[in-house]
Amino acid sequence: MSLTIPTVNLAAIGPELALTVGALILLLLSLGRYRRSTGLLLAVALGSLAVAFALVIAAWKAPVEAFAGSVALDRFAVGFSLAILSAATLTVLLSLNELERSYLLLADYYGLVLFATVGMLFLASATSLVMVFVGLETLSISLYVLAGQRRTQASSLEAALKYFLLGAFATGFFLYGVALIYGATGTLQLREIGTYVGTHGIFGSPLFAFGVLLLLIGFGFKIAVVPFHMWTPDVYQGAPTPVSGFMAAGSKAAAFAALVRIVFVAVGPTVVNWTALLWVLAVLTMFVGNVLAVVQDNVKRMLAYSSIAHAGYILVAIVAANDLTNSSVIFYVLTYTFMNVGAFGVLSALASRDKEALDVHELSGVGYQKPLLGLAMAIFMFSLAGVPPTAGFMAKFYVFSAAVKAGYIWLAILGVVAAMISVYYYLRVVVYLYMREPDGETTAWPRLVPAVGVALGVAVLAILGMGVWPGSVMGMLRQAAALL
Amino acid sequence: MSPQHYLVLAGILFTIGVTGVLIRKNALIVFMSIELMLNAVNLTLVTFSHFMRSPDGQVLVFFSIVVAAAEVAVGLALIVALFRLSGSTNLDDFNLLKW
């Protein structure tokens, strides 16, 4: 038994360090007399996010690996980190809406958002199962608390408790999977596990195969893959609206980053044995998510089912397992971040202390009463549905073309069919926004908070920009694929 | 004793934990069952680590204990908050959210 002290290279965890410092400052501020000064809290949160952005972008030029191969801030991680940091930044801004301001203790809340982001970033750059576990738990535990932020509202606490119990349950499976893989291979580093699989094959020992299966169950819970999706609608509906968007986009991006790395680095050599299983999961996830979303009247719940379906589309690219996989997954995750956080953001911008318009009927005529918010919501819905020229269309196009190129024609066809089902319920929202008279008394919608407006504007521009010029973004992401 | 003894014990404990989560209705008992699952995993890791003469597994156990402690803090806080609001810890009573 020998222990070697690994070389410490703080550059590899620079973004995480910046966010941790920011979060700690916020927690300290929450004790003192500055806890109500929104401007200062916002500045600290956005400042640390900006530093993290800068460090992540700097790592694009100079990828680093450190801590005995446990963390690798390579271009693959950078791609996902950009999506995660965008989700966090938008969430920080969107949480300043009227309803959330009435009960949130912003200092604690921003601190938790930053801690969750730290976990997500670690997950994106983790190259050992220990780091994957720590990242996953850092993000999950912060999100359990964030989901229950409406402390006086039973539905929010219920959502938090359900999320917590099922999340911790999934952690048990995940960790048991890690333990069995460790028992079979004697290592926790993804690359060394890959070497083991290269010589023994994935079914070389039943211990290893069972461990991989348990690991997959744990991940299935986190990214809400059917049949492990049951918690998603309840949690997204009950959690504060900006948090739902953050959960959907950020944790999905992070968990997919880790999943892709595990699939291609650790079990890469025999990836063929996996694909049958992942194929079935992808198809199930796309169809169950989309079909159940059709019958939802509550828009938050509908978006929750839609997020399940989107996880299915991303799985399609992972099944393809070719040179297009990484870039199309990153493109999808980036797009999904903007359109999904944006959609939840519009809902939260429409919420006031007296009324939270969550039912699709309550959105009747909003397109005329609040033209800008209505337009933004319509763009997000078109993008989620995959209508050109939005980024949502290009994202689906890349994912399905990866599948076609790998020869999974049927998978792509089923994916397109599932996407066509989804058009119904996305456009239903647009119909209510523009083509229905508001029933009964006209409601006074709250005034748009500037920070919320800025966040929504950025999201709209990002979606249209990536939709109209996808080539330049994709060209960059292709280089991310090569380096993994 | 061979590693099999420990591994089978850990497997049995894990199964008891999973069964508890699935059939019990009290949030606290369910939570205890989850802790049992995590500790079963810790036993597995320590066993592998000991018999393979590799320290990695024991390091992971430390992380896992820390995570379990953090989960206890958050979980109990949530259960207490919900109990104050609804006066119950029975999971069947928490049915505001459903389709």
Side-chain angles (χ1 to χ4, degrees):
Chain A
M1 204 181 280
S2 69
L3 279 174
T4 44
I5 306 296
T7 46
V8 174
N9 184 354
L10 291 182
I13 57 167
E16 288 90 343
L17 282 180
L19 292 176
T20 311
V21 170
L24 290 177
I25 294 175
L26 284 166
L27 289 190
L28 285 178
L29 286 176
S30 81
L31 300 172
R33 63 197 173 95
Y34 294 108
R35 66 172 175 274
R36 301 241 174 263
S37 46
T38 311
L40 178 66
L41 301 175
L42 188 65
V44 173
L46 288 182
S48 55
L49 281 167
V51 174
F53 256 118
L55 291 173
V56 162
I57 292 170
W60 178 270
K61 291 244 166 57
V64 268
E65 196 182 69
F67 297 99
S70 293
V71 177
L73 191 55
D74 49 15
R75 290 189 176 176
F76 175 80
V78 168
F80 281 99
S81 299
L82 288 179
I84 293 163
L85 289 172
S86 310
T89 312
L90 292 179
T91 309
V92 163
L93 291 172
L94 290 171
S95 306
L96 291 171
N97 70 64
E98 192 188 314
L99 175 66
E100 258 63 51
R101 283 294 299 284
S102 65
Y103 64 86
L104 277 185
L105 300 166
L106 269 188
D108 301 348
Y109 173 79
Y110 280 165
L112 283 167
V113 169
L114 293 190
F115 278 132
T117 315
V118 170
M120 292 171 188
L121 291 183
F122 270 134
L123 210 45
S125 58
T127 51
S128 99
L129 288 175
V130 182
M131 282 312 300
V132 173
F133 172 68
V134 172
L136 203 58
E137 287 310 301
T138 311
L139 107 88
S140 300
I141 292 176
S142 312
L143 285 179
Y144 301 148
V145 185
L146 284 174
Q149 284 292 301
R150 292 181 186 171
R151 283 179 304 280
T152 51
Q153 193 180 327
S155 62
S156 174
L157 285 177
E158 184 182 320
L161 185 69
K162 281 180 175 169
Y163 189 27
F164 167 72
L165 287 179
L166 287 174
F169 189 47
T171 300
F173 282 103
F174 176 81
L175 201 58
Y176 203 35
V178 172
L180 294 186
I181 291 175
Y182 172 64
T185 62
T187 177
L188 289 163
Q189 308 285 1
L190 293 184
R191 205 172 290 143
E192 291 171 25
I193 296 173
T195 326
Y196 169 88
V197 174
T199 50
H200 294 79
I202 195 168
F203 296 110
S205 85
L207 208 58
F208 184 75
F210 196 55
V212 170
L213 195 66
L214 286 173
L215 200 73
L216 199 62
I217 292 177
F219 264 109
F221 266 104
K222 297 289 173 191
I223 53 182
V225 167
V226 175
F228 312 113
H229 66 289
M230 304 304 291
W231 57 273
T232 319
D234 287 358
V235 174
Y236 287 12
Q237 185 187 350
T241 315
V243 174
S244 305
F246 183 51
M247 268 197 277
S251 62
K252 191 160 284 163
F256 266 112
L259 185 64
V260 170
R261 229 188 251 275
I262 290 176
V263 168
F264 293 119
V265 178
V267 277
T270 56
V271 80
V272 192
N273 291 329
W274 281 71
T275 37
L277 183 61
L278 287 176
W279 195 98
V280 175
L281 286 181
V283 172
L284 267 180
T285 307
M286 287 188 291
F287 275 92
V288 171
N290 278 326
V291 170
L292 287 179
V294 166
V295 295
Q296 304 300 330
D297 277 339
N298 184 307
V299 181
K300 265 169 98 174
R301 212 171 167 79
M302 179 275 272
L303 284 172
Y305 278 110
S306 105
S307 89
I308 298 172
H310 283 278
Y313 302 138
I314 302 177
L315 275 182
V316 168
I318 298 182
V319 172
N322 54 16
D323 53 330
L324 293 176
T325 298
N326 294 342
S327 47
S328 57
V329 170
I330 299 177
F331 190 91
Y332 205 106
V333 160
L334 263 176
T335 313
Y336 184 70
T337 298
F338 287 110
M339 59 196 184
N340 190 61
V341 176
F344 278 106
V346 172
L347 285 183
S348 71
L350 287 172
S352 66
R353 232 162 287 195
D354 320 314
K355 183 180 167 215
E356 200 181 0
L358 292 179
D359 196 287
V360 69
H361 303 288
E362 293 175 280
L363 293 177
S364 302
V366 169
Y368 297 105
Q369 292 157 357
K370 301 289 272 182
L372 284 178
L373 280 181
L375 184 66
M377 190 65 167
I379 290 173
F380 295 139
M381 287 299 135
F382 280 126
S383 184
L384 283 164
V387 178
T390 58
F393 168 74
M394 292 315 297
K396 284 205 180 67
F397 171 77
Y398 285 132
V399 163
F400 293 141
S401 59
V404 169
K405 195 180 169 201
Y408 293 99
I409 310 286
W410 271 106
L411 185 61
I413 293 176
L414 288 171
V416 172
V417 171
M420 284 193 304
I421 299 174
S422 77
V423 172
Y424 167 76
Y425 59 83
Y426 290 127
L427 291 194
R428 184 160 170 244
V429 174
V430 179
V431 167
Y432 272 95
L433 284 175
Y434 286 103
M435 294 170 203
R436 294 288 165 90
E437 293 296 317
D439 41 28
E441 79 284 14
T442 42
T443 31
W445 300 106
R447 282 187 48 219
L448 187 60
V449 180
V452 176
V454 169
L456 292 176
V458 169
V460 167
L461 288 181
I463 287 173
L464 293 180
M466 284 168 70
V468 178
W469 299 284
S472 50
V473 181
M474 209 51 191
M476 300 248 304
L477 296 180
R478 286 268 157 72
Q479 301 172 12
L483 235 143
L484 178 68
Chain B
M1 289 243 262
S2 68
Q4 275 83 355
H5 291 94
Y6 297 99
L7 293 180
V8 169
L9 173 66
I12 292 171
L13 285 176
F14 191 83
T15 316
I16 293 174
V18 173
T19 318
V21 173
L22 294 179
I23 65 171
R24 297 303 289 261
K25 292 298 170 200
N26 187 306
L28 284 167
I29 307 277
V30 169
F31 188 31
M32 272 168 55
S33 306
I34 290 172
E35 290 298 313
L36 191 62
M37 288 167 63
L38 290 179
N39 283 319
V41 176
N42 288 347
L43 185 58
T44 313
L45 281 168
V46 171
T47 309
F48 281 135
S49 184
H50 178 74
F51 283 97
M52 293 194 303
R53 306 258 165 242
S54 125
D56 300 18
Q58 302 197 24
V59 173
L60 181 54
V61 168
F62 278 112
F63 282 111
S64 143
I65 291 171
V66 171
V67 162
E71 270 181 355
V72 168
V74 169
L76 287 184
L78 280 174
I79 294 174
V80 168
L82 204 54
F83 181 75
R84 285 200 182 131
L85 214 58
S86 68
S88 166
T89 55
N90 190 330
L91 290 177
D92 286 341
D93 292 344
F94 305 142
N95 51 10
L96 291 170
L97 303 163
K98 63 184 167 202
W99 67 315

